[in-house]
């Protein structure tokens, strides 16, 4: 068991080290607005739009609006163009009449920091701001003589605001008999319903191709951790495809033809995602140009061409999700609109069959307890209760192993460097005392999927963001703010980046102590090198978990505490010494009684038979 536990511990340690390095890469240098302006001013004026999977010669989404030559504040950028505003319980923003761009979306209930007075989180941003990010809907034509609306087209609106149940109609007349219209509706959450139509008032048929796109300028600061996807992604023909921003360097593209599904760009907690008509075939392109803050990423799809006869009107429908990835809302859209695998916009991971039920249980507990920190504690108790019988067997086996510690030490002294003989004697000892040395490993193996699933819930779901616990924890999704180098909150200073590894919070220290106490209850390895490694593990894990979210560290510390209580109880029941107490070696087996004759006398001894 010692050798197996040693291997398991080393493997887990290496995995955690690698994961920690991937999760927290060196911070990228910040870019000032002046640097951003210089980068954008060097960008050529309207970059060529990417081409979808060809549906007709020369058909592509309309030209993309060029970034402004000078970066201004968000309010100044919004004031440059006439707008149709909207305000709902979830969203605040506006639609630019220039280009009919949905480029101003902010989340009412989510702030940039835990300060309730901080600005609302922006999902989409206008051209002229530091990182333009917007959606457009339009048409292309295979005939270059057909005038279609472009990024600088000024549309006419039939109202000044849009609200749930009160859509706005945007129209533009090309002067040659074609009237283009966009009917934009917004529900009470984050879904824009855009109905595109073209009325043909000319005397000849015309063929147009509807398209939708999302453009994002600048590479956002992704967390770069393997359990969380950030960047372009989508479901194409029932299959989820995910791409990193680095996949599109050197002007690389990805193209798909699909019926159903969706395509978007996601951050950790929010996204901008296009949803085409689920019954129509579309050609999707994902493209990137440039790098860093000078990069531009675009996702778009082009629908099939529609020939509109004189006097007729052609129509198509598209949707844009621009908002927070709230689980219940995402699931409601999946059912309401029949969007194929829309629930995969949230990264549930490989263990989704554990992750989603754990999330629903955690949210149910939150509804009844009113605090996600308490919900984590209760959830940990529930998980412990589910594995209680298995853990009991494991701790009972470890208690027996600890009772055998003196005998194992004697075998080590007796056989010294003869490892083979010592292992043989150990196996005989295990068989004689009916101890299974591998019994302690099974609960670890079984609970690994549950741990990672719970870690996934705590790390990726927006429901945990900015949720307070008691005391000094104001955000369960952020690291513990009371750290050693700030005197646990008594010293206010900016800790240099090169010292962050040593800036351990109070909850990670508590977690390390509980891990150390639990380790003291376990049988110690006979190999002194292994023993020293195990003694070092609580320190290693304390440093490794220090940058993780406080919710996860609290879960681990509380789980360790429950394990200590359970293991302590079982050890007392088996008479196993606690701490540094010396275990009594198992009683030596009594010698077998000598064989006797029928008279009760020993065979073959003196006086055992009659004289001859």
């Amino acid at each position: 068991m010692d050798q197996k536990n040693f291997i398991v511990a080393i493997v887990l340690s290496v995995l955690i080290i690698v994961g920690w390095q991937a999760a927290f890469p060196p911070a990228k240098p910040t870019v000032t607005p002046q640097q951003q302006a210089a980068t954008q001013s060097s960008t050529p004026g309207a970059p060529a739009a990417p081409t979808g999977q060809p549906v007709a010669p020369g058909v592509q989404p309309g030209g993309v609006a060029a970034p402004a030559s000078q970066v201004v504040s968000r309010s100044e950028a919004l004031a440059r163009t006439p707008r149709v505003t909207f305000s709902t319980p979830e969203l605040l923003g506006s639609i630019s009449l220039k280009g009919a761009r949905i480029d101003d979306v902010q989340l009412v209930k989510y702030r940039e920091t835990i300060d309730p007075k901080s600005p609302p989180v922006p999902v989409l941003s206008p051209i002229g701001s530091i990182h333009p990010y917007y959606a457009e809907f339009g048409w292309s034509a295979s005939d270059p003589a057909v005038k279609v609306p472009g990024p600088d087209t000024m549309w006419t609106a039939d109202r000044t605001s849009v609200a749930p149940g009160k859509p706005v109609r945007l129209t533009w007349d090309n002067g040659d008999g074609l009237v283009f219209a966009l009917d934009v509706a917004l529900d009470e959450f984050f879904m824009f319903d855009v109905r595109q139509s073209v009325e043909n008032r000319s005397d000849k048929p015309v063929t147009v191709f509807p398209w939708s796109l999302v453009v994002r300028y600048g590479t956002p600061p992704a967390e770069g951790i393997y359990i969380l996807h950030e960047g372009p992604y989508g479901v194409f023909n029932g299959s989820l495809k995910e791409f990193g921003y680095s996949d599109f360097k050197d002007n690389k593209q990805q193209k798909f033809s699909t019926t159903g599904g969706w395509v978007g760009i996601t951050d950790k907690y929010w996204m901008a995602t296009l949803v085409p008509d689920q019954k129509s075939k579309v050609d999707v392109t994902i493209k990137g140009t440039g790098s860093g803050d000078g990069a531009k990423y675009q996702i778009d799809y082009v629908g099939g061409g529609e020939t509109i006869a004189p006097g007729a009107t052609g129509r198509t429908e598209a949707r844009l999700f621009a908002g927070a990835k709230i689980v219940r809302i995402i699931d409601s859209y999946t059912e309401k609109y029949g969007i194929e695998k829309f629930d995969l916009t949230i990264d549930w991971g490989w263990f989704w069959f554990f992750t989603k039920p754990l999330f629903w249980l955690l949210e149910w507990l939150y509804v009844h307890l009113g605090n996600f920190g308490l919900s984590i504690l209760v959830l940990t108790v529930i998980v412990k209760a589910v594995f209680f019988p298995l853990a009991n067997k494991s701790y009972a086996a470890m208690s027996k192993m600890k009772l055998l510690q003196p005998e194992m030490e004697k075998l080590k002294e007796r056989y010294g460097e003869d490892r083979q003989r010592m292992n043989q004697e150990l196996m005989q000892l295990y068989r004689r005392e009916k101890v299974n040395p591998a019994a302690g490993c099974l609960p670890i193996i079984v609970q690994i999927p549950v741990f990672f699933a719970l870690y996934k819930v705590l790390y990726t779901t927006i429901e945990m963001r900015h949720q307070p616990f008691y005391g000094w924890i104001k955000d369960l999704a952020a690291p513990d703010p009371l750290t050693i180098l700030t005197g646990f909150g008594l010293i206010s200073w900016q800790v240099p980046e090169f010292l962050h590894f040593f800036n351990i919070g109070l909850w990670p220290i508590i977690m390390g102590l509980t891990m150390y106490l639990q380790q003291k209850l376990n049988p110690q390895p006979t190999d002194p090198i292994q023993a020293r490694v195990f003694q070092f593990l609580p320190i290693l894990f304390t440093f490794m978990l220090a940058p993780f979210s406080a919710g996860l560290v609290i879960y681990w510390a509380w789980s360790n505490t429950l394990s200590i209580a359970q293991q302590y109880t079982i050890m007392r029941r088996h008479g196993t010494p606690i701490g540094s107490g010396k275990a009594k070696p198992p009683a030596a087996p009594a010698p077998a009684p000598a064989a006797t004759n029928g008279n009760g006398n020993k065979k073959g001894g003196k006086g055992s038979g009659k004289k001859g």
Side-chain angles (χ1 to χ4, degrees):
M1 176 181 173
D2 291 337
Q3 187 68 23
K4 290 185 177 180
N5 279 348
F6 174 72
I7 294 173
V8 170
I10 293 299
V11 170
L12 290 178
S13 299
V14 171
L15 289 177
I16 289 176
I17 292 172
V18 173
W20 179 77
Q21 291 174 340
F24 302 96
K28 296 180 180 179
T30 57
V31 179
T32 64
Q34 291 78 11
Q35 291 172 323
Q36 175 68 15
T39 301
Q40 290 184 335
S41 63
S42 64
T43 305
T51 306
Q53 196 75 6
V55 293
V59 173
Q60 60 183 24
V64 180
S69 59
Q70 182 180 5
V71 174
V72 297
S73 67
R74 184 184 185 92
S75 58
E76 290 178 296
L78 293 174
R80 289 177 173 179
T81 61
R83 295 184 167 270
V84 175
T85 62
F86 55 82
S87 178
T88 73
E90 298 285 348
L91 294 181
L92 174 68
S94 60
I95 303 170
S96 172
L97 294 183
K98 183 178 181 180
R101 281 187 292 275
I102 302 176
D103 62 354
D104 176 26
V105 176
Q106 299 180 82
L107 302 177
V108 173
K109 297 181 179 179
Y110 297 92
R111 300 287 165 170
E112 293 185 350
T113 68
I114 58 175
D115 184 355
K117 296 181 180 180
S118 63
V121 169
V123 178
L124 300 181
S125 300
I127 292 174
S129 60
I130 186 169
H131 291 130
Y133 190 11
Y134 56 85
E136 287 185 3
F137 301 83
W139 297 262
S140 295
S142 55
D143 184 357
V146 177
K147 297 178 183 178
V148 293
D152 296 324
T153 298
M154 292 299 299
W155 294 71
T156 301
D158 66 349
R159 59 188 311 137
T160 58
S161 64
V162 60
K166 298 179 180 180
V168 62
R169 184 176 180 83
L170 308 180
T171 57
W172 179 72
D173 191 329
N174 75 346
D176 292 331
L178 296 181
V179 178
F180 296 86
L182 296 172
D183 292 284
V184 183
L186 175 62
D187 68 5
E188 63 273 22
F189 296 115
F190 310 113
M191 190 70 82
F192 292 83
D193 190 313
V194 182
R195 298 183 180 182
Q196 301 171 248
S197 61
V198 181
E199 182 184 359
N200 187 0
R201 298 177 181 176
S202 69
D203 56 358
K204 57 183 179 180
V206 63
T207 301
V208 293
F209 301 81
W211 53 257
S212 304
L213 62 78
V214 167
V215 174
R216 183 173 202 169
Y217 284 91
T219 303
E223 297 194 19
I225 185 170
Y226 74 98
I227 70 163
L228 174 69
H229 173 70
E230 295 177 271
Y233 67 157
V235 165
F236 312 107
N237 297 315
S239 178
L240 176 67
K241 304 290 185 183
E242 298 177 334
F243 306 96
Y245 291 106
S246 61
D247 293 332
F248 300 97
K249 61 182 180 181
D250 301 325
N251 300 336
K252 292 182 179 178
Q253 299 185 31
Q254 293 287 341
K255 297 184 178 183
F256 304 91
S257 291
T258 182
T259 300
W262 47 268
V263 60
I265 301 176
T266 184
D267 295 316
K268 181 176 182 179
Y269 295 124
W270 22 82
M271 65 177 180
T273 297
L274 298 171
V275 182
D277 187 323
Q278 296 296 286
K279 297 181 180 179
S280 301
K281 180 182 178 181
V282 297
D283 299 302
V284 178
T285 301
I286 306 175
K287 178 182 179 181
T289 57
S291 62
D293 279 282
K296 176 177 72 70
Y297 303 94
Q298 178 171 320
I299 59 171
D300 64 66
Y301 69 81
V302 180
E306 182 177 4
T307 300
I308 306 170
T313 301
R315 295 182 177 86
T316 188
E317 187 171 7
R319 292 186 174 90
L320 167 70
F321 180 101
K325 297 191 293 185
I326 300 173
V327 176
R328 60 182 176 82
I329 295 177
I330 295 292
D331 287 346
S332 69
Y333 285 145
T334 304
E335 298 178 6
K336 181 178 180 180
Y337 299 118
I339 306 173
E340 187 176 20
K341 296 185 178 180
F342 199 56
D343 60 315
L344 296 185
T345 55
I346 299 174
D347 192 352
W348 292 111
W350 293 343
F351 300 111
W352 58 267
F353 45 87
F354 279 139
T355 308
K356 291 197 76 172
L358 279 175
F359 168 79
W360 287 118
L361 178 57
L362 189 63
E363 188 174 54
W364 182 84
L365 291 171
Y366 171 72
V367 170
H368 290 80
L369 298 175
N371 184 281
F372 264 111
L374 289 179
S375 302
I376 291 172
L377 300 184
V378 175
L379 178 62
T380 309
V381 173
I382 294 174
V383 172
K384 284 290 184 181
V386 171
F387 291 100
F388 184 82
L390 192 61
N392 264 2
K393 292 182 180 180
S394 170
Y395 294 144
M398 285 191 287
S399 295
K400 292 181 180 179
M401 288 289 295
K402 192 162 187 177
L403 283 171
L404 294 178
Q405 203 83 32
E407 286 295 306
M408 296 166 64
E409 291 292 335
K410 289 181 180 179
L411 291 176
K412 177 185 173 184
E413 294 174 2
R414 183 179 304 169
Y415 298 106
E417 300 299 324
D418 191 350
R419 305 286 297 180
Q420 182 177 359
R421 179 64 187 277
M422 188 178 73
N423 288 334
Q424 291 175 351
E425 294 296 329
L426 277 176
M427 295 308 298
Q428 291 181 9
L429 177 64
Y430 294 151
R431 283 194 294 268
R432 186 171 66 246
E433 299 298 330
K434 298 179 180 180
V435 172
N436 181 6
C441 300
L442 185 58
I444 298 175
I445 296 173
V446 173
Q447 293 187 62
I448 284 176
V450 179
F451 169 77
F452 278 106
L454 185 57
Y455 173 46
K456 188 85 170 179
V457 169
L458 297 176
Y459 189 79
T460 62
T461 56
I462 192 173
E463 285 78 0
M464 293 298 301
R465 182 180 185 267
H466 290 179
Q467 289 291 338
F469 189 47
Y470 297 107
W472 64 93
I473 300 297
K474 305 302 181 183
D475 184 2
L476 287 166
D480 190 330
L482 294 190
T483 60
I484 291 178
L485 298 184
T486 61
F488 298 110
L490 298 177
I491 305 172
S492 179
W493 71 299
Q494 186 67 33
V495 178
E497 185 178 340
F498 70 92
L499 292 177
H500 280 182
F501 181 77
F502 304 97
N503 200 25
I504 303 173
L506 188 54
W507 266 108
I509 293 175
I510 295 173
M511 186 279 304
L513 290 175
T514 60
M515 190 174 182
Y516 170 78
L517 293 176
Q518 185 180 14
Q519 188 184 82
K520 297 297 287 184
L521 298 178
N522 295 333
Q524 300 301 308
T526 57
D527 188 338
I529 297 179
Q530 294 182 18
R532 284 194 292 272
V533 170
F534 274 98
Q535 291 172 358
F536 180 71
L537 284 181
I539 301 174
L540 175 67
F541 275 66
T542 299
F543 278 93
M544 290 302 160
L545 286 181
F548 280 58
S549 61
L552 183 67
V553 179
I554 291 172
Y555 156 76
W556 200 321
W558 176 234
S559 178
N560 287 346
T561 303
L562 295 177
S563 296
I564 290 171
Q566 185 179 2
Q567 191 169 353
Y568 179 86
T569 302
I570 292 173
M571 292 177 70
R572 291 291 298 270
R573 186 185 305 161
H574 286 79
T576 307
I578 309 298
S580 59
K582 298 296 183 181
K584 294 182 178 180
T596 61
N597 58 24
N599 296 323
N601 296 322
K602 295 180 180 179
K603 291 183 178 181
K606 292 181 179 181
S608 62
K610 296 180 180 180
K611 291 182 180 180

